[in-house]
Amino acid sequence: MAPLGALAWEPSKTVEFIVPAGTGGGADQMARMIQGIIQKNNLMNQSLVVINKSGGAGAEGFLDVKGSANNPHKIIISLSNLFTTPLATGVPFKWDDMTPVAMLALDEFILWVNAKAPYDDVKGFLAAMAAAPADAPFKMGGTGSKQEDQIITAAIEQKTGKKFIYVPYKGGGDVAAQLVGGHVTSSVNNPIEAVSQWRAGELKPLCVFDEKRLPYKEPVTGNKSWGDIPTCKESGLDIEYLMLRGIFMPPKASKEQVEYFVNLFKKVRETPEWKEFMQKGAFNTTALTGPEYTAWLGKAAATHKTLMENAGFVAK
């Protein structure tokens, strides 16, 4: 694939690609996949270096980019902590302190249980949860506190009137391992974080928190595909939640600078490597730029504010 060619602007030195999370997680995996695609396909004349800045639940990374106005040689990949971290911590930052570039995809959440659980659907899960004695409530394993996993957990509690003990872990891999070991009852891990345990027959998915079933029909385990997993809504648990995987630049980026990265990520999304990554991780492949992306961000920010307030997670 040929380089992007002569545009009105292009990087003149190495571009820093900030990940506001630790190594090995979903955002880090995606950033390093992008780095590899760009290098393999010669999509940039300059190099792209991934830098993890996970301090303060991602605040370190976001504040770095916020404080880098007029620096077009820095981009950041976002998670939903773009919205949750400022609300939970009071850190002086919000999404529109940066320049939106592109939504690359949306990450799914799935309600997972141990494969040995005596139920195979949400109805059975909720019945077992309702029947659990008060001194032995269900335990939900999740990544971090007051972030996406715990927001979904709180939403389930609000819908059902039942309470979980929420157990935070450092990453999705730890969560999956704890669920396999029977130390928690359930999790809401992303597909890519639990697919190997599903394939190994150790975990099973009950529902996906999207408005429609996943489009992927290829078998993952036995004759089961991602597309066979019902939505939580159709299963009687009316909750939808998707996590942003998007790109931002520092404040005061010019139209030409933004357009360069819009075009770059368009090229990335067209590669077979990206399409394979999307299928492997069962992503929602919605992609937005320009006013549509900005409008989506505004609505998502409002939604997260409501979810965080309802859960009592907003810093006083």
Side-chain angles (χ1 to χ4, degrees), residues 120 195 198-199 203-205 213 216-230:
D120 296 313
V195 65
W198 183 26
R199 195 172 280 124
L203 299 182
K204 57 186 174 183
R213 291 194 183 200
Y216 306 105
K217 304 300 184 186
E218 297 77 7
V220 176
T221 178
N223 62 349
K224 293 281 189 181
S225 72
W226 292 116
D228 291 321
I229 303 171

Side-chain angles (χ1 to χ4, degrees), residues 63-313:
L63 290 173
D64 179 6
V65 175
K66 176 185 175 180
S68 299
N70 294 311
N71 179 3
H73 294 90
K74 184 175 290 190
I75 59 175
I76 189 168
I77 189 167
S78 66
L79 303 75
S80 293
N81 62 354
L82 175 72
F83 310 115
T84 58
T85 292
L87 290 166
T89 65
V91 66
F93 166 81
K94 54 188 186 300
W95 70 267
D96 54 2
D97 286 335
M98 302 186 298
T99 304
V101 175
M103 175 193 289
L104 300 180
L106 294 166
D107 211 345
E108 304 282 358
F109 287 84
I110 288 174
L111 178 61
W112 299 92
V113 296
N114 193 292
K116 297 174 184 173
Y119 39 78
D120 296 313
D121 55 26
V122 170
K123 184 178 179 181
F125 174 79
L126 295 179
M129 189 178 175
D135 61 347
F138 274 31
K139 292 181 180 179
M140 178 73 84
T143 303
S145 298
K146 298 183 181 178
Q147 301 290 331
E148 300 86 9
D149 293 11
Q150 195 172 7
I151 289 172
I152 297 172
T153 303
I156 296 172
E157 291 177 335
Q158 291 159 24
K159 288 288 184 182
T160 62
K162 301 297 178 182
K163 288 288 185 184
F164 290 97
I165 292 177
Y166 180 79
V167 186
Y169 296 99
K170 285 186 176 181
D174 291 341
V175 174
Q178 295 298 317
L179 184 53
V180 169
H183 304 293
V184 292
T185 318
S186 56
S187 76
V188 290
N189 256 350
N190 302 128
I192 203 167
E193 293 173 327
V195 65
S196 61
Q197 289 85 356
W198 183 26
R199 195 172 280 124
E202 298 169 330
L203 299 182
K204 57 186 174 183
L206 299 186
C207 67
V208 59
F209 293 93
D210 201 343
E211 65 178 359
K212 57 188 177 186
R213 291 194 183 200
L214 300 175
Y216 306 105
K217 304 300 184 186
E218 297 77 7
V220 176
T221 178
N223 62 349
K224 293 281 189 181
S225 72
W226 292 116
D228 291 321
I229 303 171
T231 67
C232 296
K233 186 173 183 177
E234 74 179 271
S235 304
L237 189 59
D238 190 4
I239 299 170
E240 293 176 15
Y241 191 90
L242 291 159
M243 182 163 63
L244 173 65
R245 300 293 189 193
I247 302 294
F248 291 80
M249 293 178 70
K252 299 184 179 179
S254 72
K255 182 180 177 181
E256 291 78 16
Q257 291 162 352
V258 171
E259 192 62 29
Y260 173 86
F261 286 107
V262 167
N263 286 327
L264 173 66
F265 286 104
K266 183 173 183 287
K267 296 279 188 184
V268 168
R269 292 198 312 272
E270 290 169 352
T271 64
E273 297 95 333
W274 177 261
K275 291 173 182 176
E276 181 183 346
F277 182 71
M278 288 290 98
Q279 181 169 325
K280 181 182 175 185
F283 286 91
N284 178 315
T285 58
T286 300
L288 299 173
T289 59
E292 292 82 8
Y293 181 35
T294 302
W296 187 95
L297 290 164
K299 289 174 66 175
T303 297
H304 279 85
K305 188 170 187 289
T306 300
L307 288 168
M308 295 281 283
E309 287 174 344
N310 290 344
F313 292 163

Side-chain angles (χ1 to χ4, degrees), residues 13-19 47-51 53 64-65 68 71-76 248 261:
K13 61 181 182 180
T14 297
V15 174
E16 295 183 359
F17 195 3
I18 307 297
V19 178
S47 58
L48 184 75
V49 58
V50 175
I51 300 173
K53 296 200 171 191
D64 179 6
V65 175
S68 299
N71 179 3
H73 294 90
K74 184 175 290 190
I75 59 175
I76 189 168
F248 291 80
F261 286 107

